[in-house]
Amino acid sequence: MLTIYSDKHRLQHGKAELIDGTLKPCFETPSRADMVLQEVRSRGLGPVLEPQAHGLAPVLRVHDAGYVEFLQTAWQRWTAMGRDYDALPKMWQIRRLRAAIPQHVEGQLCYYSMDCGTPLTAGTWPAITAAADVALTAIDQLAAGQRGVFALTRPPGHHAARDYCGGYCFFNNAAIAAQSLLDRGAKRVAILDVDYHHGNGTQDIFYQRDDVLFLSIHGDPATEYPFFLGFADEHGEGAGLGYNYNYPLPAASSVAMWFATLGTALGEIRRYAPDALVVSLGVDTFEGDPISRFSLTSTDFLRLGEQIGGLGLPTAFCMEGGYAVEPIGLNAVNVLEGFSMHQ
Ligand SMILES: [Zn+2]
């Protein structure tokens, strides 16, 4: 299987995130992608290609222009005030506050953010545009006839909505990939999100559409991040009604329960009969993950890949979460190898 990878991911290296009431070193670190790449190479998964530049047009197909402009200019505007440290928001536009977009960069940072775990840094813009190019180059390869391609995207993307960042995500790489498939002639695309956390951003982007089926298996938002989306009764809206499937599971769910739920989700994908599949590949469902509470073992990830491969669809994998850094490579590449058993 081909892997698409850019070193530019290292430019996003936040110093701290607010978690458990204190600023702690970011869980989402460059070493995550380094470990995955190392495993891709040592296991001989296949060639590793640099991404091609695709410009902002495919990004603007799924993200709000004002939001994209904010991300592009925020660091310069933030540092122009004499600040040389990462930008984090400090308030949110919650119930009964005005939804007007502030003029000041600090207000805009609050307006366009979901949480304060997602530092905007000097290297955020080059890193996120490179990650979008990684996802789009994976789609180039699918269009050229590859059956499965691995987009080693970092930072991850599935918490990024049409017009906000959060959960370490700025551009929604999987959504950009799915939209690109449609723009190249696919009629229907499915996105399967297997990260421990609900893919709230992806759901937000496609919630009113029937040309993208979105399915997410995740920790129940009643107790798990991102808390405010990802419940089982969110089915889509308007033309999108019936094209959004959430499978929230209690935090301590068994591996058997997780795979039974995967079976249900794969059944929905088969019924939808998409032209292609995008997988939001988070491996924070791993038993040793420091911020998640499912208990998949490394061997279970092989099985996950095999079952996805059994769909027989052209498939792009976009890397999402996974914070047990040492085994992240083993777990991610196990999914890809499991998938490849069907090729
Ligand atoms: Zn996650």
Side-chain angles (χ1 to χ4, degrees):
M1 182 185 292
L2 286 178
T3 295
I4 318 298
Y5 168 84
S6 166
D7 273 334
K8 288 188 181 155
H9 78 84
R10 292 210 185 90
L11 298 169
Q12 172 63 1
H13 192 177
K15 288 184 184 64
E17 63 175 88
L18 189 63
I19 188 164
D20 302 335
T22 54
L23 280 171
K24 290 188 178 163
C26 291
F27 280 97
E28 203 293 294
T29 61
S31 57
R32 299 176 55 251
D34 295 343
M35 295 301 278
V36 176
L37 182 69
Q38 193 182 311
E39 187 82 6
V40 163
R41 293 215 157 109
S42 69
R43 301 256 291 268
L45 184 72
V48 177
L49 307 182
E50 285 278 323
Q52 305 289 310
H54 287 71
L56 284 180
V59 172
L60 289 164
R61 294 282 290 137
V62 301
H63 286 295
D64 172 74
Y67 171 61
V68 173
E69 191 187 348
F70 162 74
L71 291 174
Q72 188 166 18
T73 59
W75 182 254
Q76 187 273 324
R77 293 167 64 206
W78 177 257
T79 53
M81 295 183 302
R83 295 161 167 173
D84 61 354
Y85 42 86
D86 296 354
L88 284 174
K90 64 178 182 188
M91 75 172 285
W92 286 270
Q93 180 259 314
I94 61 162
R95 293 170 296 287
R96 297 178 296 285
L97 296 187
R98 291 281 291 269
I101 304 175
Q103 292 177 12
H104 195 278
V105 64
E106 193 169 320
Q108 290 187 1
L109 181 65
C110 298
Y111 180 82
Y112 286 122
S113 295
M114 175 172 77
D115 63 22
C116 45
T118 312
L120 196 147
T121 74
T124 297
W125 179 256
I128 63 177
T129 47
D133 282 332
V134 166
L136 288 161
T137 304
I139 301 307
D140 292 343
Q141 292 293 337
L142 273 196
Q146 294 287 330
R147 177 157 169 254
V149 184
F150 178 37
L152 210 180
T153 41
R154 184 186 167 269
H158 72 147
H159 293 303
R162 197 177 66 83
D163 59 357
Y164 64 79
C165 58
Y168 317 136
C169 306
F170 297 90
F171 284 163
N172 192 315
N173 307 306
I176 291 167
Q179 182 64 52
S180 175
L181 283 160
L182 294 167
D183 290 343
R184 294 164 200 243
K187 296 283 178 269
R188 286 189 303 277
V189 175
I191 303 178
L192 174 64
D193 190 321
V194 297
D195 187 280
Y196 179 77
H197 304 96
H198 176 241
N200 61 286
T202 318
Q203 170 170 317
D204 173 79
I205 288 168
F206 297 115
Y207 203 58
Q208 294 167 334
R209 291 171 50 173
D210 59 6
D211 52 356
V212 176
L213 178 73
F214 176 66
L215 313 97
S216 181
I217 306 170
H218 49 267
D220 188 341
T223 62
E224 304 305 298
Y225 183 93
F227 301 116
F228 299 107
L229 210 63
F231 296 90
D233 62 354
E234 295 156 13
H235 300 299
E237 252 171 29
L241 188 61
Y243 297 91
N244 192 89
Y245 285 87
N246 283 328
Y247 304 99
L249 296 176
S253 292
S254 66
V255 170
M257 164 86 88
W258 195 91
F259 273 95
T261 307
L262 176 68
T264 306
L266 296 177
E268 292 300 341
I269 295 174
R270 287 195 172 91
R271 251 190 296 286
Y272 185 65
D275 301 311
L277 175 68
V278 175
V279 177
S280 267
L281 178 58
V283 294
D284 44 6
T285 48
F286 178 58
E287 57 182 351
D289 196 274
I291 59 172
S292 308
R293 298 196 280 167
F294 286 166
S295 47
L296 272 65
T297 64
S298 294
T299 314
D300 289 325
F301 288 104
L302 268 174
R303 209 170 127 203
L304 164 59
E306 238 182 303
Q307 296 200 12
I308 293 171
L311 292 169
L313 292 168
T315 301
F317 292 87
C318 291
M319 193 71 211
E320 303 282 5
Y323 305 98
V325 175
E326 285 296 320
I328 188 178
L330 172 66
N331 293 338
V333 175
N334 273 2
V335 175
L336 306 171
E337 260 193 15
F339 176 90
S340 303
M341 288 175 197
H342 281 273
Q343 284 185 311

